[in-house]
């Protein structure tokens, strides 16, 4: 993605194994036309040398707060004033904690306190450290203080663990920092935090991507979902102030900033996570393309072709209907506002209306995935929003058509409508919130 040129970026590097990625990040930023200066903590120098970063940026690398030459002219204050953006990558759990408490015990933390520049960081740590309540508290405080968190990603870690905590890849960091011109800003420049974050206080659970249903150790049933729409919704919801849980099928996407991501593979795994998190949520958005069926029996070994048959017969059984199950089980006063998706190839509105009613949803987002350049795998989409709406004659149907646009912009438009509907539902105190939440075990 093209990035605006000419920005003065202060790249801070702290003591994580992911520091080796910072060299590539510095190179990408320079290649995009930005002026880059690097500040390294003492620990960062154990993973990558200042000389490497100096060669890539063409600028001296600063490592010490008490550098006699630099301090002769109050160098750290000059550097703080020079920066238009401070980007810390990687940002360790220790550094995040020190920034939360306003420490200024090294050059990097001092610059962060002394600068009015925009600030962003890419966390990187062990998955248990990222999930620790202390880190969660620090994350919330940093965001409240104006920091933008990019990631982390999830996957294999250097320590051998698997889970969230990996630093985003450099390309993903650059992409997240400099979005397309039509992408919604994280916060309006002149808005107060509460005005810019209308979803603050809400907990939103979103399912995204496909599921995979194994046939044998090497084959599975799946679909073309890329997860882009669900991830765009998660990013937009977090930017609007919500606490966001993203239940993700297998996709090749980075975790949106400030989002809690849970990776699953099969429909049963997604169902278990959805039932658990729905009970803690104000809003549940079922955006995932869940496989309707799975193999009745998964072969222990690879299914081989046979010479005397041109056919392979599979017995399939139904997967749990996640959105319907969550919708029919209520969570008392905290009953989630239910939003479903209908990806259709014909009679889009008719099928969506039927699904809205049949599954007991509060809103449905319908789109025609047969249109070229829209839907599965594309960066743009159009949608038709439908919801039940009481009128003088009884129950009518609310309707809002959203034209083709980037999925990032579309996500914000969907959430705007959702928040309107949620506010109206709160005002009318729907009786649907009466029964206890007791989801069935996934089939």
């Amino acid at each position: 993605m093209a990035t605006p040129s000419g920005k003065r970026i202060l790249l801070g590097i702290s003591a994580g194994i992911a520091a080796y990625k910072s060299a590539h990040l510095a190179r990408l930023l320079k290649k995009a036309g930005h002026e880059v200066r690097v500040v390294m903590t003492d620990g960062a120098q154990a993973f990558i040398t200042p000389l490497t970063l100096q060669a890539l940026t063409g600028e001296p690398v600063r490592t010490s707060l008490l550098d006699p030459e630099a301090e002769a002219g109050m160098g750290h204050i000059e550097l703080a004033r020079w920066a238009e953006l401070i980007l810390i990558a990687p940002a360790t759990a220790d550094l995040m904690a020190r920034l939360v408490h306003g420490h200024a015990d090294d050059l990097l933390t001092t610059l962060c306190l002394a600068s009015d520049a925009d600030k962003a960081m890419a966390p990187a740590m062990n998955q248990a450290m990222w999930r620790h309540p202390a880190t969660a508290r620090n994350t919330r405080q940093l965001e409240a203080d104006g920091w933008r968190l990019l990631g982390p990603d999830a996957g294999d870690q250097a320590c051998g663990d698997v889970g969230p905590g990996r630093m985003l890849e450099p390309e993903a960091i650059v992409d997240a920092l400099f979005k397309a011109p039509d992408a919604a800003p994280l916060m309006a420049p002149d808005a107060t935090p509460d005005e810019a974050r209308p979803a603050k206080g809400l907990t939103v659970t979103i399912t995204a991507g496909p599921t995979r249903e194994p046939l044998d150790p090497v084959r599975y049933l799946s679909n073309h979902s890329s997860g882009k729409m669900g991830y765009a919704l998660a990013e937009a919801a977090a930017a609007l102030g919500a606490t966001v849980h993203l239940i993700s099928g297998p996709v090749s996407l980075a975790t949106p900033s400030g989002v809690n991501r849970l990776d699953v593979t099969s429909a049963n795994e997604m169902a278990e996570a959805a039932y658990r998190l729905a009970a803690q949520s104000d809003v549940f958005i079922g955006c995932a393309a869940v496989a309707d069926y799975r193999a009745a029996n998964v072969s222990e070994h690879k299914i081989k072709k046979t010479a005397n048959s041109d056919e392979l017969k599979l017995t399939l059984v139904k997967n749990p209907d996640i959105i319907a199950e969550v919708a029919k089980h209520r969570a008392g006063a905290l009953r989630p506002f239910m939003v479903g998706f209908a990806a259709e190839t014909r009679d889009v509105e008719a099928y969506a209306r039927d699904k809205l009613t049949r599954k007991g949803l509060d809103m449905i987002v319908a789109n025609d995935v047969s249109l070229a350049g829209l839907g599965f795998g594309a960066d743009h989409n159009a949608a038709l929003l439908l919801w039940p709406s009481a009128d003088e004659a009884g129950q009518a149907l609310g309707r809002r058509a959203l034209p083709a646009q980037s999925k990032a912009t579309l996500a914000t438009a969907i959430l705007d409508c959702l928040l309107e509907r949620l506010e109206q539902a709160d005002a009318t105190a729907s009786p649907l919130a009466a029964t206890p939440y007791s989801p069935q075990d996934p089939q």
Side-chain angles (χ1 to χ4, degrees), residues 207-213 222-227 267 270 286-292 341 343 376:
T207 64
T211 63
R212 291 178 180 174
E213 311 303 326
S222 191
N223 55 66
H224 295 295
S225 174
S226 65
M270 184 170 283
C287 190
V290 183
D292 293 324
F341 271 68
F376 285 150

Side-chain angles (χ1 to χ4, degrees), residues 16 49 55 59 75 224 237 251-252 262 285 291 293 305 319 336 352 394 403 409 415:
T49 67
E59 299 284 350
H224 295 295
V251 298
S252 300
L262 176 62
I285 304 176
Y293 295 89
K305 289 186 292 187
N319 272 324
T409 308
L415 290 172

Side-chain angles (χ1 to χ4, degrees), residues 202-236:
L202 293 178
T203 298
V204 180
T205 293
I206 301 172
T207 64
T211 63
R212 291 178 180 174
E213 311 303 326
L215 301 176
D216 62 22
V218 298
R219 301 182 181 93
Y220 55 82
L221 299 174
S222 191
N223 55 66
H224 295 295
S225 174
S226 65
K228 289 180 179 179
M229 191 68 246
Y231 274 61
L233 284 165
E235 183 171 17

Side-chain angles (χ1 to χ4, degrees), residues 1 148 150-151 168 171-179 235 257:
M1 180 179 291
R148 184 179 177 192
L150 311 176
L168 290 184
E171 292 84 357
I173 292 174
V174 174
D175 186 63
L177 280 173
F178 307 105
K179 293 181 176 297
E235 183 171 17
S257 175

Side-chain angles (χ1 to χ4, degrees), residues 13-291:
I13 305 176
S14 63
I17 184 63
Y20 78 91
K21 296 182 182 179
S22 302
H24 184 41
L25 176 59
R27 183 175 179 275
L28 289 177
L29 292 170
K30 286 288 291 185
K31 188 175 180 180
H34 304 292
E35 189 175 353
V36 181
R37 297 184 184 179
V38 176
V39 172
M40 302 177 69
T41 65
D42 287 343
Q45 298 172 66
F47 296 95
I48 186 171
T49 67
L51 184 60
T52 299
L53 278 303
Q54 180 174 319
L56 291 169
T57 63
E59 299 284 350
V61 174
R62 297 287 302 278
T63 60
S64 174
L65 176 62
L66 303 177
D67 183 335
E69 292 184 8
E71 287 302 302
M74 297 295 288
H76 66 290
I77 297 299
E78 292 177 2
L79 193 54
R81 291 171 178 166
W82 170 86
E84 293 178 296
L85 168 67
I86 294 178
L87 169 63
I88 303 178
T92 61
D94 173 72
L95 181 65
M96 291 171 67
R98 289 193 289 130
L99 288 171
V100 163
H101 292 285
H103 288 197
D105 51 1
D106 63 7
L107 179 58
L108 183 55
T109 54
T110 299
L111 288 169
C112 292
L113 284 182
S115 177
D116 292 327
D118 293 334
K119 298 178 178 69
M121 66 171 63
M125 64 198 71
N126 168 266
Q127 56 84 23
M129 296 172 70
W130 174 251
R131 289 186 169 115
H132 195 281
T135 305
R137 288 195 301 272
N138 291 339
T139 297
R140 290 192 294 269
Q141 186 58 53
L142 286 166
E143 290 181 318
D145 290 345
W147 284 88
R148 184 179 177 192
L149 270 67
L150 311 176
D153 204 348
D156 296 332
Q157 299 188 321
C159 60
D161 285 357
V162 178
R166 287 169 53 94
M167 188 175 97
L168 290 184
E169 294 303 317
E171 292 84 357
I173 292 174
V174 174
D175 186 63
L177 280 173
F178 307 105
K179 293 181 176 297
D182 62 349
L186 182 64
M187 183 175 289
D190 298 324
T192 65
D194 285 343
E195 290 170 342
R197 298 165 74 85
K200 185 176 181 180
L202 293 178
T203 298
V204 180
T205 293
I206 301 172
T207 64
T211 63
R212 291 178 180 174
E213 311 303 326
L215 301 176
D216 62 22
V218 298
R219 301 182 181 93
Y220 55 82
L221 299 174
S222 191
N223 55 66
H224 295 295
S225 174
S226 65
K228 289 180 179 179
M229 191 68 246
Y231 274 61
L233 284 165
E235 183 171 17
L240 292 172
T243 297
V244 182
H245 300 292
L246 177 62
I247 305 171
S248 176
V251 298
S252 300
L253 297 172
T255 306
S257 175
V259 170
N260 305 308
R261 173 174 164 179
L262 176 62
D263 290 314
V264 298
T265 301
S266 69
N268 275 340
E269 291 175 357
M270 184 170 283
E272 187 279 328
Y275 298 156
R276 174 169 52 85
L277 291 173
Q280 310 167 22
S281 301
D282 303 292
V283 177
F284 185 93
I285 304 176
C287 190
V290 183

